[in-house]
Amino acid sequence: MYGIVLGVIAFVFHHYHNAYLATTLSAVSIALLSMTVAEVAEVLAERLEEPYGSFVLTFSAVIVEIILLYMVLMTSHNDPRAVDTVKGGIISAVIVDMNVLLGLAVFIGGLAFKEQEHNEDTSSTYTTILLVATSALLVPSIMHFTSESHHDLILASNIIGFVLFCFYIVIFIFQTKTHSHFFKATARSRIFRYKRRLAEGEEADEEQPDAFERLSTVGNFVVIFALIALIGIVAEIFADEGMSLVQEYDFPVGLAGLIIAIISVAPEIMTAITAARNDQIQRVINIAMGASTVSIMLTVPALLALSYTTAHPLTLDFNTLQVGALILTIVLAWKTTDDGYTNYFEGTSHLFFFICYAIIAAFY
């Protein structure tokens, strides 16, 4: 409700050309509406088995991300730097997922339970996928420096986008059909968590179902689609007014992309923190790494296709900072999750890495 009210107020300020308040209120409105989407997705996730439960949350979050970035891309006819902001948003979404979301959840879970166990096959598979996807993104980035033809760069970007989409189809079959056990908590980790709860004398508290839990599965899907439609309307205000401020004050486009990523990932962060507090670190890994995978494999092809409706077709020539930070993030995630256990120090490592990236992005 608060998200809708703030969205209406943002529209009023947008009508009266108050860019500061319109941008701020629309950003908060999007975050609140996205959190409601995450709340509904959580209800649906509880009714579905993994990895389908995590899919609902990650797909809904990625749709919000695509909408936000596409609205920014549509402003490129006024400011070509909108294209660079979108590129920064694509990479930053993965940086935020793998460092802020994973880092905060692992840190909080580590403080609460000292050590948490997950299925090491999950992180091993996801880091392999993400390294391959990052290598694919390197192709147009290298061509930016080696090829003088912009047409070749556009063609290479489109081919890479198609390859990523095809790769995701294979990954989806791998996750849901042939190797779904790779993405579920192991029997050992479930017993480990159960014994600890018995030792701590924890008892499950019965809670009253909320409004979304009382709705049917179909009803909840209708609610999600309606909320995403509202987010799309508010996102248009955010993109229009926000990019005008970026242009007016020469705001760093890398930092602008990072802010967009944080807004779109905020609901997943809250869900992951809740899961970590409930000693569900497997769910955290699925959300963080699954969202990063979907963010590259689906967001990139979708935005490449949608960019042809705008003034500037999107290309995948990311700058050195973005590609370097992406590779280092994946390597760090691999090292902190490959043994199947996490603790608060590993979460701290991701958070400090993100702080360093944010500082450099502000001045790059």
Side-chain angles (χ1 to χ4, degrees):
M1 179 62 70
Y2 292 115
I4 297 174
V5 172
L6 289 176
V8 172
I9 297 173
F11 178 80
V12 172
F13 283 114
H14 173 64
H15 179 72
Y16 288 102
H17 306 291
N18 189 323
Y20 302 100
L21 288 175
T23 303
T24 303
L25 292 174
S26 59
V28 176
S29 173
I30 291 168
L32 291 175
L33 288 170
S34 298
M35 287 179 183
T36 307
V37 169
E39 186 180 345
V40 180
E42 273 292 291
V43 174
L44 290 170
E46 289 178 2
R47 300 176 183 177
L48 303 171
E49 293 184 0
E50 291 292 349
Y52 297 102
S54 297
F55 277 159
V56 174
L57 180 62
T58 54
F59 273 110
S60 59
V62 165
I63 291 172
V64 172
E65 179 188 343
I66 291 172
I67 291 172
L68 273 172
L69 292 176
Y70 176 60
M71 290 303 173
V72 172
L73 196 60
M74 287 184 67
T75 66
S76 60
H77 63 280
N78 293 326
D79 185 2
R81 292 193 308 167
V83 178
D84 292 327
T85 302
V86 170
K87 292 177 186 177
I90 292 171
I91 298 298
S92 293
V94 180
I95 301 293
V96 173
D97 275 326
M98 298 285 276
N99 290 299
V100 179
L101 188 157
L102 185 63
L104 270 176
V106 169
F107 176 76
I108 292 172
L111 289 179
F113 301 103
K114 190 174 180 179
E115 192 172 64
Q116 295 177 293
E117 184 178 357
H118 64 273
N119 189 342
E120 60 268 26
D121 287 332
T122 306
S123 56
S124 176
T125 303
Y126 273 131
T127 49
T128 300
I129 292 169
L130 289 168
L131 282 173
V132 172
T134 303
S135 301
L137 294 179
L138 279 173
V139 175
S141 300
I142 293 172
M143 286 186 64
H144 175 74
F145 298 100
T146 59
S147 176
E148 296 181 359
S149 173
H150 185 66
H151 177 268
D152 290 344
L153 181 58
I154 294 175
L155 180 60
S157 297
N158 290 332
I159 292 173
I160 291 299
F162 179 74
V163 169
L164 288 175
F165 181 73
C166 292
F167 188 29
Y168 185 73
I169 294 174
V170 176
I171 294 166
F172 185 82
I173 295 171
F174 184 85
Q175 285 181 289
T176 59
K177 300 296 181 184
T178 62
H179 289 72
S180 60
H181 59 283
F182 274 25
F183 306 91
K184 298 178 180 179
T186 61
R188 185 180 62 182
S189 65
R190 290 195 296 269
I191 294 171
F192 180 72
R193 191 168 71 242
Y194 178 70
K195 286 182 176 179
R196 179 161 57 201
R197 287 181 173 177
L198 286 179
E200 294 174 355
E202 294 183 6
E203 296 182 359
D205 295 327
E206 293 187 4
E207 297 181 357
Q208 294 297 322
D210 60 22
F212 299 124
E213 289 175 335
R214 289 192 290 267
L215 280 177
S216 66
T217 300
V218 174
N220 277 310
F221 273 113
V222 171
V223 171
I224 279 186
F225 291 134
L227 289 170
I228 289 174
L230 286 173
I231 289 171
I233 296 170
V234 180
E236 186 173 1
I237 299 172
F238 173 76
D240 187 36
E241 298 291 0
M243 286 310 299
S244 68
L245 291 176
V246 168
Q247 185 177 18
E248 182 179 353
Y249 293 101
D250 196 25
F251 197 76
V253 292
L255 194 57
L258 188 58
I259 292 171
I260 292 172
I262 291 172
I263 293 171
S264 62
V265 175
E268 293 175 294
I269 294 174
M270 301 304 295
T271 302
I273 290 174
T274 301
R277 285 175 175 169
N278 293 332
D279 202 14
Q280 297 175 326
I281 198 65
Q282 180 65 42
R283 184 154 173 73
V284 172
I285 300 295
N286 284 348
I287 291 172
M289 295 189 171
S292 299
T293 300
V294 176
S295 187
I296 294 179
M297 303 293 190
L298 293 186
T299 301
V300 168
L303 288 174
L304 282 171
L306 291 170
S307 69
Y308 283 94
T309 65
T310 67
H312 298 275
L314 184 65
T315 55
L316 303 179
D317 50 329
F318 300 101
N319 62 43
T320 307
L321 169 65
Q322 293 165 344
V323 174
L326 185 58
I327 293 173
L328 289 175
T329 290
I330 296 167
V331 172
L332 179 60
W334 168 51
K335 293 301 295 179
T336 57
T337 62
D338 66 337
D339 62 349
Y341 294 90
T342 58
N343 55 62
Y344 76 88
F345 174 76
E346 292 169 339
T348 306
S349 302
H350 282 277
L351 292 174
F352 273 101
F353 181 89
F354 173 76
I355 291 171
C356 294
Y357 172 78
I359 292 170
I360 297 172
F363 297 99
Y364 190 78

